[in-house]
Amino acid sequence: MTAPGSTARRVLPRVLLLNGTVGAGKTTTADAIGALLRERGLPHAVVDLDALRRVWPAPSDDRFNGALLARNLAAVARNAWDAGADRLVLAGVAETVEDRSALEEAVAETIVTCRLVVTASELRRRLLVRHGPGAERDWHLDRAEELDAVLDGADVHDHVVSVDGDDRGRVATAVLDAVGWGPPVR
């Protein structure tokens, strides 16, 4: 424990999870954060968790392929650390404390989470632009509402950043500032 008034540096988690409902901008923000970290010369990796779980069909008892995600993330994180990454930016969803713990176990690090929130009207607009008419669009619209409600009641977020009306660079900077990964003090 650090004594009051101590000048010891606070150790920040090396892993950031951008959490939020479908359409909130997790992947877009992760890519923008990666660009900012690159500009600052900070070794990192950006991982879209959906890509690590995308196998069909999912087991009937694991709707979103969480077990596969954990195995794949463990390998990707290990390889990123071995390749010299100092930070890991994850874009995905943790609905529960157990989900967050599984991700922490997979990366072998403590995770700081930042939920990206967007108004219902903006979320709907984004999903209508992203998905043409049909079953996939309808699924995403339904899932966005369902997941937003789940995340409202979840105790997994360290920080929350609104993404309405802001460009990706501003959102990325706001997230980095919120989690303590902003520019170093010189």
Side-chain angles (χ1 to χ4, degrees):
M1 182 173 201
T2 304
S6 170
T7 58
R9 290 182 348 153
R10 179 173 61 114
V11 176
L12 296 173
R14 298 190 316 152
V15 182
L16 165 62
L17 170 65
L18 296 169
N19 203 10
T21 192
V22 294
K26 300 177 298 291
T27 301
T28 298
T29 303
D31 289 342
I33 287 172
L36 288 173
L37 295 176
R38 192 170 39 256
E39 286 174 13
R40 296 174 186 171
L42 298 170
H44 66 280
V46 175
V47 180
D48 182 342
L49 298 183
D50 283 343
L52 300 182
R53 70 170 83 235
R54 195 169 290 142
V55 172
W56 185 90
S60 61
D61 64 340
D62 189 4
R63 178 180 175 196
F64 295 110
N65 275 324
L68 176 65
L69 166 63
R71 289 192 311 272
N72 286 340
L73 180 57
V76 169
R78 187 174 47 255
N79 290 335
W81 302 136
D82 288 349
D86 185 50
R87 296 168 195 227
L88 193 57
V89 180
L90 308 176
V93 175
E95 294 184 29
T96 65
V97 171
E98 292 79 17
D99 289 347
R100 178 181 174 155
S101 295
L103 294 174
E104 288 181 327
E105 186 175 325
V107 299
E109 293 278 341
T110 299
I111 292 176
V112 61
T113 64
C114 184
R115 180 176 176 196
L116 302 180
V117 294
V118 59
T119 61
S121 60
E122 174 63 11
L123 183 59
R124 181 171 178 75
R125 185 197 67 75
R126 289 177 182 197
L127 292 173
L128 291 174
V129 167
R130 188 164 85 181
H131 301 285
E136 183 179 348
R137 180 197 65 193
D138 295 343
W139 184 90
H140 280 89
L141 288 168
D142 291 342
R143 178 64 177 149
E145 186 177 322
E146 170 193 8
L147 184 53
D148 211 28
V150 167
L151 294 175
D152 282 345
D155 188 24
V156 297
H157 306 106
D158 300 308
H159 306 278
V160 175
V161 170
S162 172
V163 298
D164 272 359
D166 287 322
D167 69 47
R168 61 168 66 210
R170 203 268 339 142
V171 172
T173 299
V175 169
L176 290 177
D177 289 346
V179 303
W181 285 12
V185 177
R186 298 199 190 265

